[in-house]
Amino acid sequence: MKIVEGKKIASLLKESLKKIIKEKDLQKSLAIFYVGENPVIDNFINLKKKFGEDVGVRVRVFKYEESITTQKLVKEIKNISEDFDGVIVQLPLPKHIDKKKALNAVTPEKDVDVLSDKKYKKFAKGDFSFFPPVAGAISEIFNFYGVSLANKNIVVVGQGLLVGGPVFDWLKALKLKPKIVNEKTKNKNEIYKKADIVISGVGQASIIKKSFVKKGVVLIDAGSSSEDGQIVGDISKDCKDKASLFSMVPGGVGPITVAILFKNILYN
């Protein structure tokens, strides 16, 4: 059994990006649009700022009161984006904001999160020049540990915008046949039992138990939530006794996700 060393993979990617930026004397920049207050989001943004600082990408955060309107936010995104190479609209947004309009205010060529409709459609059709960060991180894990996807029974848990949706579309574009498990799925335990690979990103603490999975399964946990003051994943940690490879929370997919984001900026 191997535990995914997310920080190690992220560090290797960081050094590679840093080297390219230095050798080519690139001047790259990232704008992050952040609405409201959220300690967890503050932490994510600080990680992005630190990574940018380390590799030589200028990161600037544009922060707005939660009361901002969709119209005003869209206008800000369009006006400010012109001065940056990459642009992120930090999720989640307040409920009154039209998320689709905000994400589509980012032009495809600057959309390093691959969340605008035009950029995402290209990815879903098999254009892998830019990966949605979480899907890109999982791809890096599979490459690093030599995980073959051919003829595997792959289960994706959740269909969210950041994890399940992009991962499912990526696997489909590879001509694979992943199965989706969501809250409406019947016989979940039977589906888990047959899975060679499980990728989860729903953000519900320990919903996948050791008894649900078979020996030798590859487990990729990309969901996070808080339990008793600690960040935990969707997959119970005692599943490591059965897994051949386990990407746990924290320290697995998360650090690599940030690295993929900056890789997208570099090749933008």
Side-chain angles (χ1 to χ4, degrees):
M1 188 274 298
K2 291 180 180 176
I3 298 294
V4 171
E5 297 179 85
K7 289 181 180 178
K8 179 180 179 180
I9 298 171
S11 181
L12 291 170
L13 286 168
K14 180 190 284 185
E15 289 308 310
S16 172
L17 297 176
K18 189 176 180 179
K19 185 179 179 184
I20 293 167
I21 287 168
K22 190 173 181 181
E23 285 180 353
K24 295 187 177 182
D25 193 27
L26 300 175
Q27 305 295 319
K28 293 287 186 176
S29 57
L30 171 68
I32 301 174
F33 292 87
Y34 175 22
V35 180
E37 293 279 350
N38 185 322
V40 176
I41 299 302
D42 288 340
N43 184 52
F44 285 149
I45 287 177
N46 286 335
L47 288 173
K48 290 168 186 173
K49 287 167 71 176
K50 179 69 168 62
F51 195 102
E53 188 180 297
D54 289 346
V55 298
V57 173
R58 179 172 64 93
V59 179
R60 185 162 174 201
V61 180
F62 295 88
K63 207 163 183 304
Y64 301 94
E65 295 292 330
E66 192 167 334
S67 57
I68 192 171
T69 63
T70 299
Q71 186 179 10
K72 175 66 174 171
L73 180 60
V74 165
K75 187 176 179 181
E76 288 284 296
I77 293 167
K78 288 182 175 179
N79 288 343
I80 294 169
S81 293
E82 294 178 12
D83 299 325
F84 292 85
D85 299 295
V87 176
I88 292 172
V89 178
Q90 186 65 55
L91 300 177
L93 289 166
K95 289 182 180 179
H96 71 275
I97 297 285
D98 187 323
K99 182 168 64 178
K100 185 70 77 176
K101 284 184 179 178
L103 294 174
N104 283 329
V106 181
T107 57
E109 61 272 14
K110 297 191 179 189
D111 176 15
V112 291
D113 257 345
V114 195
L115 288 172
S116 62
D117 287 342
K118 286 183 181 178
K119 190 75 165 269
Y120 188 86
K121 281 175 185 173
K122 286 180 70 177
F123 162 75
K125 287 179 181 177
D127 180 351
F128 299 149
S129 51
F130 296 93
F131 262 92
V134 175
I138 294 168
S139 176
E140 288 287 340
I141 290 169
F142 289 157
N143 290 336
F144 188 84
Y145 290 99
V147 176
S148 171
L149 303 179
N151 303 312
K152 295 291 173 65
N153 190 347
I154 306 172
V155 173
V156 179
V157 187
Q159 290 176 282
L161 190 66
L162 301 179
V163 183
V167 169
F168 184 76
D169 286 336
W170 162 52
L171 296 171
K172 273 178 50 183
L174 290 174
K175 309 300 181 189
L176 300 169
K177 295 179 180 178
K179 294 181 178 68
I180 279 280
V181 168
N182 57 33
E183 65 275 5
K184 296 178 182 178
T185 304
K186 296 177 181 178
N187 305 319
K188 291 179 187 177
N189 287 7
E190 290 178 24
I191 294 170
Y192 291 139
K193 278 283 186 188
K194 294 176 183 175
D196 300 307
I197 300 170
V198 177
I199 303 166
S200 187
V202 294
Q204 294 180 31
S206 304
I207 57 168
I208 298 171
K209 312 292 185 187
K210 182 179 176 179
S211 60
F212 295 1
V213 297
K214 68 181 183 181
K215 190 78 174 172
V217 67
V218 171
L219 298 173
I220 305 295
D221 196 342
S224 63
S225 53
S226 181
E227 187 177 61
D228 299 327
Q230 292 187 316
I231 299 295
V232 295
D234 297 347
I235 305 174
S236 177
K237 288 189 176 180
D238 62 2
C239 288
K240 66 179 182 288
D241 298 333
K242 281 188 169 179
S244 58
L245 179 68
F246 191 2
S247 173
M248 294 199 293
V249 173
V253 173
I256 311 167
T257 299
V258 178
I260 297 299
L261 177 72
F262 281 87
K263 185 178 179 182
N264 286 347
I265 296 168
L266 190 61
Y267 294 107
N268 230 11

